[in-house]
């Protein structure tokens, strides 16, 4: 293979195909596909990513996942509109949906997009294919080295959209510290998982089995974000476990942030841990992007109000060294809700010299228009990134949020609507 495409998308999860979902709903995709594109995805899935793997509910209302299908856009997504997942989520618009159900809907949306791509006769979808290297050519185009079960090859592109996601940040330095001080027990007797593992069926089963081995066995969760409290929520739902008082500890450095519809509502609920910069100027929502929502939020508020004695909160002012031996006695499972590291595809210039990216050092890979930024601050022409670990800040693109937010924004709805439109508009002009 040595083809040239108008655009190569690297990653076909819910974020990666977001610009195409927008374009299909707007009726603009068939016309655009007169110029050939290629989509490269290392897994066998198209459009749903890992959503269907998780056992928890979403941290957003179901209606947000239906936004790309509303109004005149519906006619372009017959598979999705006719699916059981669409009917279920439509019946609970103002409630969070099960991530498995959302994953099923995203898979059907992906099939609708794929149908249009296949009908074009010019474009291709390559699953079970990994991008291994990107080379910037002197004429401004890109060469992407790819590997699949059929071997290695190369594809050329005028534009790139990177949606490579991330891998679990497992904090190996912290593992050594925990193993050394955990209740004088052997290394093999302590189960450690990332929250992303726990929230899936296999990791969850491992944790449950470990905690059932000994009566009174405790769990420790490191982290204070949505994943941490979602992990705690999931463990507490188990009918196979009986956590006693303080049977589960959630330890974090920064005080958890909680989303409220307004500052007034937050204060009514007894929550005052916010300032002006934590309020979205467009909507008045407190911690609109970075705050706990739904199940995680309810659990945190119940803990702080004394209504959930099974969970103990501990702030780590000095990292894990602040965990005393008594905090770790009888701990059988440790969950690291420590976020994700971006999955980078190495980029080289035409002389085979590596091109460093700003995000490698700061976590911010893109500007307000979704364009990839070099380490020297220059914007990469014709290269975009979207989704988890891109470092995109919605407020920079005019899409709202709290100015204090500096984490990872991961909104499927934005990728399929506003941010997807922003990137597609730029692709269409090039």
């Amino acid at each position: 293979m040595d083809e040239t495409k108008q655009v190569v998308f690297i990653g076909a999860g819910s974020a990666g195909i977001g610009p195409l979902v927008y374009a299909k709903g707007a009726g603009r995709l068939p016309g655009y596909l007169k110029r050939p594109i290629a989509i490269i995805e290392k897994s066998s899935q198209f459009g749903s990513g890992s959503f269907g793997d998780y056992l928890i509910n979403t941290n957003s209302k179901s209606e947000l996942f239906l936004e790309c299908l509303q109004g005149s856009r519906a006619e372009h997504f017959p598979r999705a509109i006719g699916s059981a997942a669409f009917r279920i989520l439509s019946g609970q618009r103002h409630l969070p949906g099960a991530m498995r159900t959302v994953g099923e809907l995203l898979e059907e949306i992906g099939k609708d997009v794929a149908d249009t791509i296949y009908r074009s006769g010019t474009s291709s979808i390559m699953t079970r294919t990994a991008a291994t290297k990107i080379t910037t050519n002197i004429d401004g185009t890109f060469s992407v080295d790819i590997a699949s079960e059929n071997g290695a090859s190369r594809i050329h592109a005028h534009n790139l959209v990177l949606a490579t996601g991330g891998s679990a940040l497992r904090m190996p330095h912290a593992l050594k510290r925990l193993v050394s001080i955990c209740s004088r027990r052997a290394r093999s007797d302590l189960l450690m998982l990332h929250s992303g593992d726990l929230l899936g069926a296999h990791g969850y089963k491992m944790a449950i089995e470990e905690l059932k081995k000994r009566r009174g066995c405790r769990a420790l969760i490191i982290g204070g974000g949505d994943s941490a409290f979602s992990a705690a929520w999931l463990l507490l739902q188990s009918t196979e476990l009986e956590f006693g008082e303080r049977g589960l500890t959630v330890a974090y450095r920064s005080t958890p942030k909680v989303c409220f519809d307004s500052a007034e509502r937050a204060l009514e609920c007894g929550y005052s841990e916010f300032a002006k910069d934590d309020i979205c100027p467009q909507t008045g929502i407190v911690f609109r992007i970075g705050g706990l929502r739904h199940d995680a939020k309810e659990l945190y508020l119940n803990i702080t109000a004394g209504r959930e004695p099974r969970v103990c909160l501990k702030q780590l002012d000095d990292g894990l060294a602040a965990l005393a031996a008594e905090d770790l006695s009888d701990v059988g499972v440790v969950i690291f809700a420590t976020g994700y590291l971006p999955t980078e595809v190495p980029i080289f210039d035409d002389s085979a010299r590596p091109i460093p990216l700003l995000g490698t050092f700061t976590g911010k890979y893109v500007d307000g228009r979704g364009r990839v930024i070099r380490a020297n601050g220059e914007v990469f022409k014709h290269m975009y990134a979207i989704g988890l670990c891109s470092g995109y800040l919605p407020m920079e693109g005019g899409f709202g949020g709290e100015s204090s937010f500096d984490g990872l924004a991961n909104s499927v709805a934005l990728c399929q609507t506003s941010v997807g439109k922003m990137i597609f508009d730029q692709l269409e002009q090039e």
Side-chain angles (χ1 to χ4, degrees):
M1 177 187 297
D2 202 21
E3 303 176 79
T4 298
K5 302 290 187 179
Q6 180 66 21
V7 188
V8 169
F9 290 79
I10 300 178
S14 55
I17 70 165
L20 302 178
V21 172
Y22 158 75
K24 182 168 176 61
R28 297 166 62 181
L29 186 57
Y32 186 73
L33 292 178
K34 293 177 181 178
R35 298 175 283 183
I37 71 171
I39 305 173
I40 299 168
E41 169 56 44
K42 63 182 178 181
S43 75
S44 60
Q45 297 174 306
F46 183 82
S48 60
S50 59
F51 258 80
D53 299 338
Y54 296 123
L55 304 177
I56 57 172
N57 297 320
T58 64
N59 64 358
S60 302
K61 295 178 181 179
S62 295
E63 64 184 359
L64 291 180
F65 298 99
L66 304 173
E67 190 173 341
C68 67
L69 307 173
Q70 300 304 300
S72 61
R73 291 172 282 197
E75 63 182 279
H76 300 289
F77 294 94
R79 288 178 180 266
I81 294 297
S83 69
F86 177 81
R87 292 193 295 274
I88 292 171
L89 295 173
S90 295
Q92 54 181 49
R93 287 178 173 271
H94 301 298
L95 299 172
M99 289 194 75
R100 283 185 171 177
T101 305
V102 173
E104 292 170 5
L105 178 66
L106 293 173
E107 185 175 351
E108 296 303 315
I109 290 173
K111 289 177 181 177
D112 282 319
V113 172
D115 287 344
T116 302
I117 292 172
Y118 290 136
R119 284 196 299 267
S120 72
T122 63
S123 302
S124 57
I125 297 172
M126 294 174 278
T127 55
R128 297 186 182 277
T129 302
T132 58
K133 184 176 76 170
I134 297 169
T135 301
T136 62
N137 302 315
I138 195 168
D139 63 357
T141 62
F142 304 96
S143 297
V144 182
D145 288 7
I146 58 178
S148 69
E149 57 187 11
N150 297 320
S153 58
R154 176 172 286 186
I155 188 169
H156 306 289
H158 294 285
N159 300 274
L160 287 180
V161 177
L162 310 180
T164 51
S167 57
L169 176 58
R170 301 179 189 274
M171 298 177 67
H173 61 287
L175 299 186
K176 295 178 182 179
R177 169 66 179 164
L178 283 171
V179 169
S180 69
I181 60 178
C182 268
S183 190
R184 302 188 188 93
R185 294 205 314 255
R187 177 187 297 264
S188 60
D189 202 25
L190 183 67
L191 175 64
M192 298 188 185
L193 296 171
H194 188 271
S195 56
D197 301 322
L198 174 78
L199 299 179
H202 179 65
Y204 175 72
K205 182 178 179 181
M206 289 177 62
I208 295 298
E209 291 302 315
E210 184 63 32
L211 291 168
K212 285 168 58 179
K213 283 182 182 179
R214 290 174 300 278
R215 188 180 184 87
C217 188
R218 298 170 58 229
L220 169 66
I221 298 175
I222 306 294
D226 190 80
S227 294
F229 287 95
S230 292
W233 178 87
L234 183 62
L235 289 175
L236 293 171
Q237 300 308 303
S238 173
T239 57
E240 301 181 66
L241 300 177
E242 292 186 11
F243 282 106
E245 186 172 345
R246 301 170 68 87
L248 197 161
T249 298
V250 181
Y252 47 80
R253 290 183 179 178
S254 300
T255 302
K257 303 174 178 63
V258 185
C259 178
F260 284 92
D261 289 339
S262 67
E264 291 75 18
R265 179 57 182 159
L267 295 173
E268 287 175 6
C269 294
Y271 182 78
S272 59
E273 299 293 324
F274 62 93
K276 182 179 180 181
D277 289 346
D278 302 323
I279 302 173
C280 173
Q282 294 184 7
T283 63
I285 295 176
V286 177
F287 292 120
R288 179 184 176 188
I289 307 296
L292 301 176
R293 296 179 177 80
H294 300 295
D295 295 333
K297 170 183 175 178
E298 181 179 1
L299 175 58
Y300 177 71
L301 293 179
N302 282 339
I303 297 168
T304 56
R307 295 189 294 268
E308 181 46 272
R310 294 175 295 176
V311 183
C312 168
L313 302 180
K314 185 173 183 64
Q315 187 144 14
L316 305 178
D317 296 325
D318 188 28
L320 293 176
L323 287 170
E326 58 267 26
D327 295 318
L328 299 166
S329 61
D330 297 323
V331 168
V333 175
V334 180
I335 307 300
F336 285 84
T338 45
Y340 295 84
L341 284 172
T343 302
E344 288 191 8
V345 179
I347 304 174
F348 300 87
D349 66 15
D350 58 333
S351 298
R353 294 172 300 197
I355 300 177
L357 303 179
L358 182 64
T360 303
F361 308 99
T362 67
K364 182 175 174 54
Y365 285 84
V366 297
D367 67 1
R369 295 173 60 188
R371 301 175 299 181
V372 174
I373 309 171
R374 298 172 185 252
N376 63 3
E378 294 179 0
V379 172
F380 237 126
K381 292 183 178 179
H382 313 299
M383 187 187 294
Y384 305 88
I386 189 171
L388 179 68
C389 294
S390 68
Y392 183 75
L393 297 176
M395 59 288 299
E396 288 189 355
F399 305 123
E402 63 271 23
S403 60
S404 61
F405 178 76
D406 60 359
L408 296 176
N410 187 31
S411 169
V412 172
L414 274 178
C415 291
Q416 294 177 338
T417 55
S418 303
V419 176
K421 177 182 186 303
M422 175 185 69
I423 289 180
F424 185 79
D425 286 346
Q426 293 175 89
L427 292 173
E428 198 172 46
Q429 294 167 10
E430 295 175 347

